[in-house]
Amino acid sequence: MSSVQSSRFSLPGMYATGQAVMPGVVICITIALATSFISDHYGGPKMLYALLFGMTLHFLTEEGRCLAGVEFSSRTILRLGVALLGVRITLDQVAELGIGPIITVVLGVILTITMGAVLARMLGLSREMGLLTGGSVAICGASAALALSAVMPRSDVQERNTILTVVGVTTLSTIAMIVYPLITAALNLSDTNAGILIGGTIHDVAQVVGAGYIISNDAGDVSTMVKLLRVAMLVPAVMVFIFLFRKSRKESDSEKVPALPSFLVAFVVLVLINSMGWIPPVATEVFTNMSAWCLITAIAALGIKTSFKKLAIVGWKPVILMVAETIFLLLLVMACIHFGLAGL
């Protein structure tokens, strides 16, 4: 270990780092608290609120005292939040679903990400934008956008793409929470198939839970399990993204890129520990809430780092891309249900 690294992890070094990041972190946490209060009392998506609130404070990125904390929140706190998602998943939950929903979810993730890359090229957008939006739509919305972005090459364009993706998938997920239960009723789906459709298509976990239990308790249970299976697909997706962007990350990042990110290792370890029943329900709830708070704080930081002016120059193409990916995933899962694949 170099002298710089050892000084960073010494008590004086950690204290100095804490002092440096504290102002920015406090700002991001304050935004998270404010947006959570508004969402809990008046409704609406917390992450979208946090993003928009953060963007109104973009001027703080020009002020030195907050910049280090905003960067810390958008990277370290983000990765902690993604890692803690592992406490929501067990291997038994995956096995209980049966092979049909697993095949449906795997097909949905692979084909939607591929479709995203193809559509992005057709629209004249970058491959990175197509892969990021496709992964977010296919896996778990804003959380996936943050996790996948964390292993992609860092740049101003990439951060802007992440913000656009978070805004898009959060908005589409909120719309889907209202519309998709109506679709399941129109198709006269059973509770099980309705749960598979809801859990296999809606982007964010909170909206999946809301839409599933609107239909029935059974549909809500199935949709939650299917959704958590999609969350588990973060692991192979992140691994593939690391492979795809290994060269460009080495060129753009001064730090050495690990073969396997620590937050992904922590995610897998927590899934395994939770599968063994070693995490009590109280601790699971605590870690789940902590994960949510970390992700909202990270979203606030990303908002602070982004300006409305930069987003305005992007145009309508990313919106079309995300809408097309969402419709594609919906039609794919509906086809799997119709032809009996999801019921295997």
Side-chain angles (χ1 to χ4, degrees):
M1 183 179 292
S2 67
S3 59
V4 174
Q5 288 176 314
S6 60
S7 63
R8 182 189 302 173
F9 291 104
S10 64
L11 285 177
M14 293 174 67
Y15 178 75
T17 301
Q19 281 190 316
V21 303
M22 186 59 66
V25 171
V26 168
I27 291 292
C28 294
I29 292 175
T30 302
I31 294 173
L33 289 169
T35 54
S36 295
F37 177 85
I38 293 172
S39 177
D40 291 341
H41 288 78
Y42 301 101
K46 295 179 183 179
M47 287 195 175
L48 184 57
Y49 288 161
L51 182 62
L52 296 176
F53 272 49
M55 291 172 70
T56 63
L57 299 176
H58 174 66
F59 66 90
L60 292 176
T61 58
E62 302 171 0
E63 199 274 314
R65 288 181 300 171
C66 293
L67 185 57
V70 170
E71 290 286 349
F72 180 84
S73 298
S74 67
R75 297 194 66 191
T76 305
I77 293 180
L78 159 64
R79 295 178 181 188
L80 175 61
V82 173
L84 290 174
L85 287 173
V87 301
R88 305 184 63 159
I89 305 169
T90 67
L91 298 179
D92 288 339
Q93 290 172 341
V94 175
E96 287 174 3
L97 290 173
I99 190 65
I102 294 175
I103 294 175
T104 301
V105 166
V106 172
L107 280 176
V109 171
I110 294 174
L111 295 180
T112 304
I113 293 176
T114 303
M115 180 60 68
V118 172
L119 287 175
R121 171 167 289 191
M122 293 173 62
L123 290 169
L125 298 171
S126 66
R127 180 188 68 156
E128 288 80 2
M129 186 66 177
L131 293 173
L132 181 62
T133 56
S136 303
V137 169
I139 302 173
C140 54
S143 300
L146 297 174
L148 296 173
S149 178
V151 296
M152 297 174 76
R154 298 192 69 202
S155 66
D156 292 340
V157 172
Q158 182 56 31
E159 289 184 352
R160 185 189 66 195
N161 289 345
T162 303
I163 292 295
L164 281 169
T165 304
V166 169
V167 172
V169 296
T170 303
T171 303
L172 289 170
S173 186
T174 303
I175 295 171
M177 182 179 66
I178 300 169
V179 174
Y180 286 14
L182 301 177
I183 293 176
T184 63
L187 296 175
N188 197 27
L189 296 179
S190 66
D191 285 346
T192 298
N193 284 337
I196 292 173
L197 180 65
I198 295 296
T201 55
I202 296 181
H203 313 73
D204 289 309
V205 175
Q207 280 83 348
V208 167
V209 173
Y213 286 105
I214 285 174
I215 300 170
S216 71
N217 288 336
D218 290 340
D221 292 341
V222 173
S223 65
T224 302
M225 291 300 101
V226 173
K227 183 60 186 178
L228 291 179
L229 176 58
R230 287 170 66 195
V231 174
M233 290 297 292
L234 264 178
V235 177
V238 169
M239 294 293 293
V240 171
F241 272 52
I242 291 172
F243 176 78
L244 289 175
F245 296 105
R246 65 194 186 284
K247 290 185 179 179
S248 52
R249 274 189 63 95
K250 288 178 182 178
E251 292 172 358
S252 63
D253 291 354
S254 58
E255 59 181 289
K256 184 179 179 180
V257 180
L260 193 62
S262 56
F263 76 88
L264 188 60
V265 174
F267 179 94
V268 174
V269 169
L270 285 174
V271 170
L272 295 176
I273 293 174
N274 196 31
S275 299
M276 297 174 185
W278 293 352
I279 303 179
V282 174
T284 298
E285 184 177 354
V286 170
F287 287 138
T288 299
N289 290 333
M290 188 182 301
S291 173
W293 280 107
C294 287
L295 293 176
I296 295 172
T297 301
I299 283 284
L302 286 173
I304 291 174
K305 294 171 67 175
T306 305
S307 66
F308 286 106
K309 187 180 296 184
K310 289 181 179 179
L311 292 179
I313 66 174
V314 178
W316 47 267
K317 291 183 180 180
V319 177
I320 292 178
L321 176 62
M322 284 181 275
V323 171
E325 291 165 346
T326 299
I327 294 174
F328 173 80
L329 180 60
L330 175 63
L331 294 176
L332 176 63
V333 175
M334 288 173 62
C336 289
I337 293 172
H338 177 73
F339 291 107
L341 180 60
L344 293 178

